[in-house]
Amino acid sequence: MEKIRIIGNALPDMPWQDKPAGYNMPVWRYTENPIINRNPIKGVSRIFNSAVMPYEDGYIGVFRAEQTDGIPHIYLGRSKDAVHWEFDTEKILFTDEKGEPFMPHYAYDPRLVKVEDTYYIMWCQDGYGATIGIAKTTDFKTFTRLENPFLPFNRNAVLFPRKIGGNFVMLSRPSDSGHTPFGDVFISESPDMEFWGRHRHLMGTNTGNWWEGTKVGGGSAPIETDKGWLMLYHGVVTTCNGFVYSIGAAILDIDNPSIVKHRSSRYILTPEEWYEERGFVPNVCFPCATLQDAETGRIAIYYGCADSYVGVAFTTAEELYNYILENDNAGQTEHEIGRR
Ligand code: BMA
């Protein structure tokens, strides 16, 4: 086994279960999945595609909550153990820089990333079609929306957890305004979280891997390691019965993350359990966050299941890194286009 070290904080009390004996996949599910069931809040039918992180003496999260009027918004949740969650009864109210209400018509698939002392929430919203919204908070009481980073149509914005070369760095997936039958991941930089540029192609669907042949999109915030950024993403294939969303993994160059160093030709998790295969949209595993312990290399993946539930799955940095290396097929085009 090749060694790999997570660069970051220890998180000894994060959720964890050991790999079941004889299990032959690199990621294993929490036995108590799903961790959030239907109708979790009055007026909310389903919570899925949501992001969590450590906060104060526990955990905090931003949750995609499908209201019973059919409109998704982002709700705040808190937890002592990152498994049992208590949710606010009202959606997060975003304001503009002056403190005036500034709500998106709808908001879905949030990610939550801390850079320096500020927490950023990114989501998809309406902006003359699907586009990225972004807000910041330092106290989880006031949430100030920033300028939209990208033009429509775009989804799956994922910020890196630190600046690289002095700039903020964010993944996104240009798309259409419908269910998007295509899509590659791009990477962009900003000196100030307002003006975004140096857009680079990161990874596409041209690998020949059937499970991710339709579209790929960023997932959880990349994890810093001594071997590069460990990136989890979703890969989608179109079957005769619709899309199937699996989870893929790659390693990006630490100083120039537009370079894909290694990418697994095989998914690391695909819909198999009832809560992944059955729901509002069947066959969806959609990663939006991880918790990790730099001491042990343990990783807990938080992923949306069938647009209906939140699930947790476990792995370690070493398991994933070695799986990626064993199955590496980072395409030559990715190396060439990324090398700038
Ligand atoms: C995508 C997004 C996700 C969703 C997925 C499957 O386009 O809307 O929120 O999980 O479709 O329905």
Side-chain angles (χ1 to χ4, degrees), residues 55-337:
Y55 185 64
E56 294 181 336
D57 59 349
Y59 297 88
I60 202 154
V62 290
F63 293 85
R64 170 177 176 163
E66 221 78 353
Q67 302 176 151
T68 47
D69 58 6
I71 299 175
H73 276 287
I74 303 170
Y75 283 59
L76 198 66
R78 292 171 196 270
S79 174
K80 287 280 176 224
D81 60 5
V83 172
H84 303 91
W85 289 89
E86 288 193 5
F87 302 105
D88 287 358
T89 52
E90 295 297 332
K91 57 183 173 273
I92 291 177
L93 296 177
F94 294 103
T95 61
D96 63 17
E97 304 271 356
K98 296 192 197 94
E100 299 296 326
F102 187 27
M103 284 300 286
H105 296 149
Y106 58 79
Y108 61 85
D109 297 353
R111 272 71 167 195
L112 175 64
V113 183
K114 187 181 184 194
V115 185
E116 295 166 359
D117 294 328
T118 304
Y119 296 86
Y120 295 92
I121 305 170
M122 298 122 262
W123 63 87
C124 183
Q125 64 174 30
D126 185 28
Y128 301 92
T131 194
I132 308 295
I134 187 163
K136 64 177 180 180
T137 183
T138 51
D139 57 8
F140 290 96
K141 292 186 181 109
T142 56
F143 299 86
T144 310
R145 270 179 66 187
L146 308 174
E147 292 287 340
N148 293 347
F150 307 125
L151 294 168
F153 309 111
N154 206 326
R155 289 187 175 89
N156 295 306
V158 183
L159 192 63
F160 281 64
R162 70 163 169 85
K163 291 180 181 170
I164 302 170
N167 287 335
F168 293 96
V169 181
M170 194 149 70
L171 307 175
S172 72
R173 208 281 307 285
S175 61
D176 66 12
S177 213
H179 294 300
T180 314
F182 62 89
D184 291 1
V185 181
F186 286 71
I187 186 165
S188 309
E189 295 182 32
S190 171
D192 55 7
M193 281 302 260
E194 179 167 355
F195 297 99
W196 291 88
R198 288 193 193 158
H199 309 291
R200 303 281 185 266
H201 183 270
L202 180 67
M203 61 166 66
T205 55
N206 57 346
T207 52
N209 306 326
W210 190 73
W211 63 273
E212 56 177 353
T214 296
K215 54 181 172 175
V216 287
S220 46
I223 299 171
E224 186 168 7
T225 78
D226 63 348
K227 298 293 189 295
W229 295 99
L230 175 54
M231 171 182 171
L232 304 186
Y233 63 95
H234 66 257
V236 182
V237 63
T238 309
T239 71
C240 59
N241 223 3
F243 290 153
V244 175
Y245 283 69
S246 305
I247 304 180
I251 298 279
L252 314 180
D253 185 84
I254 200 74
D255 297 317
N256 181 356
S258 71
I259 298 172
V260 179
K261 288 173 69 178
H262 309 287
R263 177 173 171 186
S264 176
S265 59
R266 297 170 186 262
Y267 55 73
I268 60 165
L269 195 83
T270 200
E272 288 169 3
E273 292 292 335
W274 67 265
Y275 50 86
E276 299 161 349
E277 291 184 333
R278 197 177 83 206
F280 191 77
V281 179
N283 298 316
V284 180
C285 292
F286 196 93
C288 290
T290 59
L291 296 174
Q292 54 272 343
D293 176 21
E295 289 283 301
T296 57
R298 292 174 173 175
I299 298 172
I301 304 168
Y302 285 73
Y303 65 107
C305 308
D307 288 12
S308 300
Y309 310 99
V310 172
V312 179
F314 302 112
T315 185
T316 65
E318 196 171 276
E319 284 267 0
L320 276 189
Y321 184 53
N322 283 276
Y323 193 79
I324 293 168
L325 293 183
E326 274 164 32
N327 299 293
D328 191 6
N329 77 340
Q332 207 46 46
T333 39
E334 283 164 0
H335 285 292
E336 282 163 16
I337 292 172

